[in-house]
């Protein structure tokens, strides 16, 4: 399943690379596509439905990023 999110704290390609790597290291995340335009929008493909809290816990391995769901 694919869902859309907003990741705050994304400012450059380096940010995208770090966040993508951390998210995709979760066993239930198949792919994370993160965009600079519009800034911080992410499309995440998951094997099972992870909550925003689960995703935030994964992002907490890095400093300065917060995630919220987009409709």
């Amino acid at each position: 399943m694919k869902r859309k999110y907003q990741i705050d704290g994304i400012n450059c390609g380096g940010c995208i690379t770090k966040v993508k790597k951390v998210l995709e290291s979760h066993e239930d995340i198949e792919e994370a596509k993160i965009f600079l335009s519009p800034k911080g929008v992410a499309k995440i493909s998951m094997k099972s439905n992870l909550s925003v809290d689960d995703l935030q816990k994964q992002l907490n391995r890095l400093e300065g990023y917060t995630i919220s769901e987009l409709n």
Side-chain angles (χ1 to χ4, degrees), residues 38-63:
K39 188 184 266 189
V41 170
K43 294 180 182 177
I44 301 175
S45 299
M46 300 175 241
K47 296 175 190 173
S48 63
N49 190 16
L50 297 172
S51 70
V52 172
D53 287 340
D54 292 331
L55 295 170
Q56 185 62 57
K57 285 178 191 171
Q58 190 70 12
L59 272 182
N60 286 343
R61 295 178 177 191
L62 301 169
E63 288 187 29

Side-chain angles (χ1 to χ4, degrees), residues 19-29 58 61:
V19 170
K20 178 178 172 65
K21 185 175 180 179
V22 165
L23 288 173
E24 289 179 348
S25 70
H26 191 288
E27 63 185 17
D28 288 327
I29 295 177
Q58 190 70 12
R61 295 178 177 191

